[in-house]
Amino acid sequence: MNILSIQSHVAFGHVGNSAAVFPLQRAGHEVWPVHTVNFSNHTGYGDWGGPLIPAEQVTEIVDGIERRGAFPRIDAILSGYQGGPDIAGAIVDAVERIKEVNPDALYACDPVMGNAKSGCFVSEAIPPLLREKVVPVADIITPNQFELGYLTGAETGTLEQTLAAAEKAQAMGPSVVLVTSVSRPETPEDTLEMLAVDGPDAYLVATPRLPFKRNGSGDVTAALFTGHYARTRDARSALAATASSVWDLLDLTHREGAAELELIKAQDFFAHPRLQFAVTKV
């Protein structure tokens, strides 16, 4: 699979393309990264250096890829955190141009807006852009449970509500919705779930909850699910492989006591998922 990944980049640590590209490569995909920022590190440190990449420069890079005759070869386009509202237009423009010459290409959007603990942490201009401009042209979206509710305006406190919210998201455009960090009243405290909805079918996987979080884990999740789904067009197997790889990555990172994701040490888990977690149809 050839995947065009339009995301942020950091030199130190692993978020955005710095989290997505290597796992996809180890999973056997060719990845063409286009950066939207070039920072020293993620902004969670409170201090960073480097520039935002203007939307017109992002488009110039996409234009150059087009001149290489590469658009017909792109199997999937992936996007993540959108630092400014101008980037949305550059991404949508790229998706529309690629789909003109290759209608089978998938567009996967990770609609990064926030989480249940921190609330919405992006510019107030971003959620409306995602709802009205970006999500409608996506084939796959990968929100966490909070973002799904924020995107659709629906409650997500129970499994039934989350499924209804995913159906509401599908009505906006995408046929596949991967919901991460699913929590519901009956979920044990030591368990975390992911839900994949593909058309009328929905699948749930549960993994042990680890007592920490690391920036970039959502970027790895969105990337691996996109790669697996682009290859198989099977949400169930894509969910199983993604949950396996991401949990092993996080478990290793936790055991190492590392401040950043241990992508390199975990690389065999991307190439050969252990598939240790059962996926159930709901």
Side-chain angles (χ1 to χ4, degrees):
M1 297 284 109
N2 297 315
I3 299 175
L4 180 71
S5 182
I6 307 175
Q7 300 196 55
S8 60
H9 170 78
V10 296
F12 176 87
H14 300 292
V15 299
N17 271 334
S18 304
V21 173
F22 181 67
L24 283 170
Q25 289 171 331
R26 286 296 284 127
H29 303 288
E30 182 72 42
V31 188
W32 303 333
V34 176
H35 303 325
T36 57
V37 309
N38 189 17
F39 286 169
S40 56
N41 50 268
H42 70 70
T43 58
Y45 285 100
D47 172 75
W48 66 93
L52 294 162
I53 309 299
E56 59 267 24
Q57 292 184 18
V58 172
T59 298
E60 285 176 10
I61 296 170
V62 173
D63 291 344
I65 293 171
E66 181 182 29
R67 290 195 297 271
R68 304 288 73 76
F71 278 11
R73 297 162 51 200
I74 294 174
D75 299 292
I77 308 107
L78 173 65
S79 72
Y81 172 73
Q82 298 180 23
D86 58 339
I87 295 298
I91 292 170
V92 170
D93 175 70
V95 169
E96 291 175 344
R97 288 162 56 193
I98 291 164
K99 283 179 170 281
E100 279 183 11
V101 297
N102 183 8
D104 291 332
L106 295 172
Y107 169 42
C109 169
D110 186 7
V112 179
M113 289 182 283
N115 55 59
K117 183 177 181 180
S118 304
C120 189
F121 52 62
V122 298
S123 160
E124 63 182 16
I126 298 297
L129 273 173
L130 287 169
R131 280 193 298 264
E132 298 162 17
K133 189 170 185 177
V134 183
V135 169
V137 301
D139 302 290
I140 302 168
I141 59 171
T142 60
N144 60 39
Q145 191 175 26
F146 168 84
E147 290 164 341
L148 176 66
Y150 204 86
L151 189 67
T152 61
E155 295 291 330
T156 58
T158 68
L159 178 59
E160 291 74 19
Q161 288 174 333
T162 303
L163 287 166
E167 186 176 349
K168 191 172 181 180
Q170 287 177 313
M172 297 166 68
S175 58
V176 179
V177 180
L178 174 69
V179 189
T180 63
S181 302
V182 173
S183 180
R184 50 197 176 105
E186 59 269 40
T187 304
E189 288 188 7
D190 61 352
T191 299
L192 197 62
E193 295 175 313
M194 281 200 296
L195 174 72
V197 181
D198 186 1
D201 299 320
Y203 305 95
L204 197 66
V205 64
T207 65
R209 182 190 292 269
L210 293 164
F212 84 128
K213 291 184 178 181
R214 286 295 177 266
N215 290 78
S217 59
D219 301 324
V220 176
T221 301
L224 288 176
F225 184 83
T226 299
H228 290 306
Y229 189 85
R231 177 181 285 151
T232 65
R233 303 295 173 117
D234 179 12
R236 184 172 197 155
S237 65
L239 180 63
T242 301
S244 173
S245 298
V246 172
W247 190 86
D248 278 328
L249 164 65
L250 290 172
D251 180 56
L252 176 59
T253 301
H254 181 246
R255 288 187 282 109
E256 293 284 333
E260 294 282 351
L261 294 174
E262 289 281 9
L263 286 192
I264 307 306
K265 290 184 178 179
Q267 63 181 286
D268 287 346
F269 296 130
F270 310 138
H272 308 289
R274 293 192 295 142
L275 303 178
Q276 68 272 44
F277 303 116
V279 174
T280 58
K281 189 171 184 179
V282 293

